[in-house]
Amino acid sequence: MSDIINGLGRTSAYGALGLVLLILGIVLVDVLTPGKLGRQIWEDRNRNAAVMLSSALIGIGGIVFTSIWTTYDDFGKGLAATAAFGVLGLVLMAVAFLIVDLVTPGKLGAIVVDPHPHPAVWVTASCNIAVAAIVSASIA
């Protein structure tokens, strides 16, 4: 029974950390794009904003999953590593967004909130997933 209780405690801690990192991902995308992200997605039904946010959430979820999967035997060290890799993934996704914005014409943030579908959003979303895959591969 103590194994189950211990497992529930660890799962709760990792789950809470994962939720915090996902919330940070939402905040990050909101900061990188003009306007209010929630309004863009839920009220305006903006597909560009939804694709961008979805890719960030999938990416950070993949990083957190990989970090937990390969976690240290020491619970505290594993939790700290998961937090560190998650934050690093978010930072690298933001840097990648800014680099793509720099090397492409127009303003990427404005394209993300444009009500008309734009292929640049798919490029940016793919970049998020690629960055997350690179961070995830480096964990093991």
Side-chain angles (χ1 to χ4, degrees), residues 2 35 42 47 60 86 94 118:
S2 68
W42 283 273
R47 291 181 184 153
I60 197 64
H118 198 288

Side-chain angles (χ1 to χ4, degrees), residues 8 12 24 29 35 40-41 44 81 86-87 95 108 110 118 125 130 133:
L8 287 171
S12 297
L24 287 174
V29 174
Q40 288 290 325
I41 295 172
D44 299 340
V87 170
V95 169
L108 191 53
H118 198 288

Side-chain angles (χ1 to χ4, degrees), residues 63 66-67 70 72 84-86 88-89 92 130-140:
I63 292 169
T66 303
S67 186
T70 62
Y72 298 95
F85 283 116
L88 176 62
L92 291 175
V131 166
I134 292 165
V135 171
S136 293
S138 73
I139 293 171

